[in-house]
Amino acid sequence: MTLTLDHARTIIAATRAKGREMELKPLSVVVLDAGGHVMAFEREDRAAPGRFAIAHGKAYGAVMLGMAGRAQMARAEAQGYFMAAVNGVYGGQVVPVPGGVLVHDGDQVIGAVGVTGDTSDHDAEAALAGIAAAGFVGEE
């Protein structure tokens, strides 16, 4: 199955709802397809205007490396030179922290979600709820 615009909208709505339930700071949520292209984005009221780049960087790193944000962060801590090189290859667009969550349909990666606005762990938790609401499995 491929990720559709309706799926992306469901993911964003459910991610935002989870954020409200958890009483998180205003979130920004982006959904990318398997090729790293933006399918949908929303920035909640009062979220900082620069949040798109952070949300995108979390999701972009996940989908382009096939490695969720938590794994990227561990790799950056263990091998900073590798993540520095990756960021050079991708023009500085990778943000290697939790909140970049891969979207799986079975054993296939079909996209990624990037969430920013609260702590990275909370961002990831909200993203997982959004992904589940669309009927997919998230990998943080």
Side-chain angles (χ1 to χ4, degrees):
M1 178 179 279
T2 60
L3 202 54
T4 67
L5 180 57
D6 286 340
H7 292 132
R9 289 176 173 159
T10 297
I11 290 168
I12 289 173
T15 298
R16 292 182 56 221
K18 182 66 173 180
R20 299 296 56 81
E21 175 189 311
M22 295 172 62
E23 298 182 359
L24 302 183
K25 294 176 184 173
L27 299 178
S28 295
V29 185
V30 68
V31 178
L32 306 183
D33 66 15
H37 303 100
V38 175
M39 297 186 71
F41 170 75
E42 287 189 13
R43 182 179 60 85
E44 291 185 322
D45 296 340
R46 298 180 325 280
R51 290 291 180 171
F52 171 79
I54 297 169
H56 181 267
K58 288 181 175 188
Y60 191 75
V63 77
M64 297 310 283
L65 296 172
M67 181 187 306
R70 199 168 302 283
Q72 288 179 60
M73 185 172 75
R75 185 80 182 261
E77 290 169 347
Q79 296 178 314
Y81 59 88
F82 173 77
M83 289 309 293
V86 165
N87 244 327
V89 168
Y90 291 118
Q93 294 184 69
V94 176
V95 179
V97 296
V101 182
L102 290 169
V103 180
H104 290 271
D105 178 29
D107 61 351
Q108 182 179 1
V109 173
I110 59 171
V113 176
V115 179
T116 184
D118 206 86
T119 67
S120 292
D121 288 334
H122 287 157
D123 294 343
E125 186 176 346
L128 288 169
I131 293 165
F136 300 112
V137 175
E139 178 189 345
E140 63 167 321

